[in-house]
Amino acid sequence: MDVSAAVIGKDRILAPNEFKVSLSQQDLFRLNSMGDHLIPEITRQVTSHVKRQRYQLTAALNISLSPSSSLAVGQIQVAASGSKAAQVANVTWVPAIDIAGKRYLLAKAQTTIGRDAVADIQVNDSGLSRTHFAINWDGSSATVEDLGSTNGTSVAGRDVKLQDIGADTVIKAGRTEFVFRVIAKNQGESA
């Protein structure tokens, strides 16, 4: 996974999502005797690694086991795919903001957030101004902009008026934490 990961932008590393694990027929038989828990456990471990490394995937993980007559007992071969140049070219980056476990995709160049219905994203927090702050997205980079709020907007514990932000930036406003995300999507995939 690490060898096949492709750096395609600041804070954006696209990793393969498909893995074909080849092993001897004897080893495959032994692994299959473990039951249906092996692939989900491997998937959990790979998902944990993806999160630790801050990789992004263009689709769900797919791990398969297959026999190979060219491998001896105890040998394995792993083929990874899913982040090759052709696929990277088909990836678009979609900005999003996570609020209290809910993700909002940001479809506009400027998305306003506040407690009033005039804000693009309305949050029930009396500590927020009606239109408290905005996320500005130019297609490849983002800024957070305080819109003259009463209680201010902060990033990394510092009050900001206008600040560049990257993926996984935590923004605090009112009593709410907002996490800015940048999500890899295959072109043609619904956002």
Side-chain angles (χ1 to χ4, degrees):
M1 171 176 274
D2 297 328
V3 172
S4 299
V7 177
I8 57 175
K10 184 182 177 208
D11 298 325
R12 297 183 189 142
I13 303 172
L14 193 60
N17 62 294
E18 295 189 25
F19 298 91
K20 180 181 176 186
V21 181
S22 300
L23 53 161
S24 72
Q25 184 66 43
Q26 225 177 342
D27 287 334
L28 182 60
F29 178 77
R30 273 191 238 147
L31 289 177
N32 283 337
S33 70
M34 299 174 116
D36 295 335
H37 304 291
L38 181 62
I39 296 296
E41 178 57 29
I42 293 171
T43 301
R44 276 192 292 280
Q45 293 297 322
V46 172
T47 300
S48 176
H49 182 71
V50 165
K51 288 179 182 176
R52 277 194 311 273
Q53 296 301 320
R54 296 183 150 194
Y55 292 154
Q56 294 182 334
L57 307 175
T58 59
L61 281 171
N62 182 18
I63 300 171
S64 62
L65 302 176
S66 65
S68 174
S69 58
S70 66
L71 295 174
V73 171
Q75 292 181 319
I76 67 167
Q77 185 176 36
V78 179
S81 62
S83 69
K84 302 299 181 207
Q87 286 180 300
V88 170
N90 291 326
V91 170
T92 56
W93 294 97
V94 179
I97 194 151
D98 291 348
I99 308 166
K102 185 171 181 185
R103 176 161 291 165
Y104 297 86
L105 298 178
L106 309 180
K108 298 174 16 177
Q110 182 180 64
T111 303
T112 59
I113 299 164
R115 67 176 160 78
D116 195 80
V118 299
D120 296 314
I121 299 173
Q122 186 177 0
V123 180
N124 186 15
D125 178 344
S126 61
L128 292 176
S129 295
R130 291 177 185 202
T131 52
H132 196 101
F133 69 93
I135 301 291
N136 303 306
W137 174 256
D138 68 6
S140 62
S141 62
T143 60
V144 61
E145 178 181 0
D146 185 87
L147 298 174
S149 68
T150 303
N151 297 324
T153 303
S154 68
V155 173
R158 290 186 17 233
D159 284 345
V160 297
K161 295 295 180 201
L162 181 67
Q163 172 78 38
D164 290 334
I165 56 173
D168 304 321
T169 297
V170 177
I171 302 161
K172 291 187 180 177
R175 290 180 288 282
T176 306
E177 279 193 356
F178 305 82
V179 182
F180 177 74
R181 307 281 189 198
V182 181
I183 303 162
K185 294 282 183 187
N186 280 327
Q187 288 181 357
E189 180 183 353
S190 61

